[in-house]
């Protein structure tokens, strides 16, 4: 499970999101005026690019999930402390003795933004659509080995209607699991498990979630003034939301701002309420009382395309991939370019995420460094790889985000790889977030800067991306033993915590140490400036930010 895509948000997304939680005032200045505005609470944020997708079923990247989490809601929502709390579920479910059958009661006051009730049928429809192979939902495999029959449905062996979810009536939802799942409630806070209004969707002629008027919302906010490709949009308080009394602001205005310097200028002019910092900006503002930092659970890395549709690339050569892994000095990236609290990553699973069920040791500490910076080893593997390919040099394209910091990162990586691997020419393509995601998901790349922020506090949310044919894979990597370990950790090992833990440790070693599928770069830190009057901007180590309780006080 996990956020599948892999989205998958291209580094650009994880990275860009950090470049983007700011805001700009211009939208409100053009759309609202007069004395009536003086009593309104409004927040101004920014984003790294246009919204890639707004459909909880189809979305495949963190940027989209960030937006979706503000305007949609499922049975549970994470609270301010990051724990699942009841949302559209009226009460805790009735659970069978074997912990496989859950029966939920849907809130009576749960409504869509047009005033129609949110029903159990909306959940059944959305979940079955997500696992239907014809839908091609990137996160469909989130159900695999979790909800009954999902694995067979995704493989085309059973019809989608056989999924273990059933609306017993408008307000009762029955869910049957393959095995007990310790993180099931937390999983239900993620977008792929949100309900969707079937009757409304079927009337939109394929335009559902393409803009504001073709979408219904059931979360704390509705998305207004969004035409699908806009450089700005507005979250407005959802007056039909069951818990609207907990929503403190009237509107959150968002403009696309890709450059940190531009964002800082807007912040200093009072047109941004929050802005992320990297590089020299961190040192410049470190002593500012509005400066803050924290270590997230997002990991950034480079994916290497080994081949698609039976055609292999030069990166299908293991020695070439290992050479790439040993050729990058991540300390320069973390401390010189980012300088925002990020830490070097030599594995895929971040530190501080999960602990050994017996010893309490952190997963990252227990599995240790699975790769490192070693120019001699890099050159050794490089020469072997070139000999195996029968070539003296290679030309490879690297896709990166078009944000300022991502461009810097790509240029530094180009310099390091070309300097440490004689005969390599690396060409950089800077794409918008939306275009980068499309290249990633379509596997139309050779190397791509991307990353992942998990959905729940378990290594599985990172490892699950790279099983064979996972919508988050997009590398050409396929290993039966890796699949067995990861799928077992999702299902059959659920009641054997230590066995499950050891399986995940081994799977990560196979992914990075043995197969060099990825080049881990860093675990993302976040350094930012935030206005003192902006309160309750809730962020989590893993999962999308939560604007539900955001407030403006004493501005």
């Amino acid at each position: 499970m996990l956020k599948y895509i892999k989205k998958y948000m291209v580094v650009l997304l994880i990275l860009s999101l950090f470049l983007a939680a700011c805001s700009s005032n211009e939208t409100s200045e053009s759309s609202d005026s007069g004395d009536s505005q003086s009593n309104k609470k409004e927040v101004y944020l920014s984003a790294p690019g246009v919204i890639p997708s707004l459909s909880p079923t189809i979305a495949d990247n963190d940027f989209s999930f960030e937006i979706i989490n503000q305007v949609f809601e499922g049975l549970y929502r994470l609270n301010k402390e990051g724990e699942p709390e009841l949302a559209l579920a009226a009460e805790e479910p009735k659970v069978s003795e074997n912990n496989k059958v859950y029966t939920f009661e849907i809130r009576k006051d749960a409504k869509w933004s047009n005033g129609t009730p949110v029903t159990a049928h909306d959940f059944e429809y959305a979940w079955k659509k997500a696992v239907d192979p014809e839908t091609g939902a990137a996160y469909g495999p989130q159900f695999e080995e979790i909800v009954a029959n999902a694995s067979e449905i995704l493989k085309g062996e059973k019809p989608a209607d056989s999924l273990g979810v059933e609306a017993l009536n408008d307000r009762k939802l029955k869910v049957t699991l393959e095995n007990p799942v310790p993180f099931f409630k937390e999983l239900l806070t993620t977008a792929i498990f949100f309900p969707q209004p079937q009757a409304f969707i079927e009337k939109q002629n394929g335009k559902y979630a393409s803009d504001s008027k073709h979408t219904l919302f059931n979360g704390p906010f509705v998305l207004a003034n969004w035409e699908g490709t806009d450089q700005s949009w507005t979250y407005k308080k959802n007056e039909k939301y069951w818990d609207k009394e907990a929503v403190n602001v009237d509107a959150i205005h968002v403009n696309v701002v890709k450059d940190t310097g531009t964002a800082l200028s807007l912040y200093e002019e009072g047109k941004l309420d929050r802005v992320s910092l990297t590089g020299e900006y961190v040192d410049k503002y470190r002593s500012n009382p509005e400066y803050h930092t924290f270590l997230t659970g997002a990991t950034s890395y480079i994916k290497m395309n080994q081949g698609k549709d039976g055609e292999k690339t030069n990166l299908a050569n293991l020695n070439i991939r290992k050479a790439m892994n040993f050729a990058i000095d991540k300390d320069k990236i973390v401390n010189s370019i980012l300088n925002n609290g990020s830490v070097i990553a030599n594995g895929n699973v971040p530190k501080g995420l999960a602990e050994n069920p017996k010893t309490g040791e952190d997963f990252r500490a227990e599995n240790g460094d699975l790769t490192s910076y070693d120019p001699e080893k890099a050159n050794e593997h490089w020469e072997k790889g070139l000999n195996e390919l029968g070539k003296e040099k290679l030309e490879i394209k690297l896709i990166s985000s078009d944000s300022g910091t991502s461009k810097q990162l790509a240029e530094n990586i180009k310099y390091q790889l070309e300097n440490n691997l004689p005969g390599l020419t690396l060409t950089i393509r800077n794409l918008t977030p939306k275009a980068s995601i499309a290249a990633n998901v379509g596997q139309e790349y050779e190397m791509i800067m991307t990353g992942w922020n998990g959905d729940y506090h378990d290594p599985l949310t990172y490892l699950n991306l790279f099983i064979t044919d996972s919508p988050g894979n997009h590398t050409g990597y396929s290993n039966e033993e890796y699949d067995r370990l990861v799928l077992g950790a999702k299902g059959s090992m659920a009641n054997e915590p230590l066995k499950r833990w050891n399986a995940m440790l081994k799977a990560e070693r196979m992914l990075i140490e043995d197969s060099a599928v990825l080049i881990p770069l860093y675990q993302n830190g976040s350094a930012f400036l935030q206005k003192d009057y902006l309160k309750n901007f809730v962020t989590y180590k893993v999962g999308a930010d939560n604007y539900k309780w955001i407030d403006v006080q004493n501005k």
Side-chain angles (χ1 to χ4, degrees), residues 123-131 143 163 165 175 188 192-193:
F123 283 94
E124 180 180 353
Y125 165 74
W127 292 18
K128 287 181 176 179
K129 184 175 181 179
V131 298
F143 291 82
L163 185 69
V165 58
V175 179
L188 293 177
I192 196 66
F193 290 93

Side-chain angles (χ1 to χ4, degrees), residues 5 43 53 61 66 272 283 339 367-368 405-406 455:
I5 69 191
V43 175
S53 174
N61 63 89
E66 192 84 15
L272 292 178
D283 293 329
N339 193 26
N367 232 16
T405 300
S406 291
D455 298 306

Side-chain angles (χ1 to χ4, degrees), residues 306-379:
Q306 297 180 35
K308 178 183 176 183
D309 299 330
E311 302 222 355
K312 292 186 176 181
T313 70
N314 291 321
L315 291 166
N317 183 281
L318 178 59
N319 277 307
I320 294 296
R321 297 197 306 276
K322 285 194 171 185
M324 297 282 191
N325 257 283
F326 288 123
I328 299 176
D329 184 353
K330 300 162 192 176
D331 182 73
K332 292 181 179 178
I333 291 173
V334 165
N335 294 314
S336 298
I337 298 176
L338 297 176
N339 193 26
N340 63 353
S342 296
V343 297
I344 290 171
N346 286 318
N348 184 35
V349 177
K351 69 177 184 178
L353 179 81
E355 297 177 347
N356 185 306
K358 183 177 181 180
T359 67
E361 186 174 12
D362 183 77
F363 186 97
R364 181 73 277 126
E366 185 168 345
N367 232 16
D369 291 336
L370 304 182
T371 185
S372 62
Y373 176 54
D374 191 328
E376 289 187 14
K377 282 187 178 180
N379 204 265

Side-chain angles (χ1 to χ4, degrees), residues 66 79 89-90 114 137 141 147 181 185 191 231 233 240 251 256 270 326 334 410 539:
E66 192 84 15
N79 63 19
N114 65 350
V147 181
V181 180
K185 288 182 183 179
Q231 296 291 313
W233 55 89
K240 297 292 193 296
V256 173
F326 288 123
V334 165
T539 60

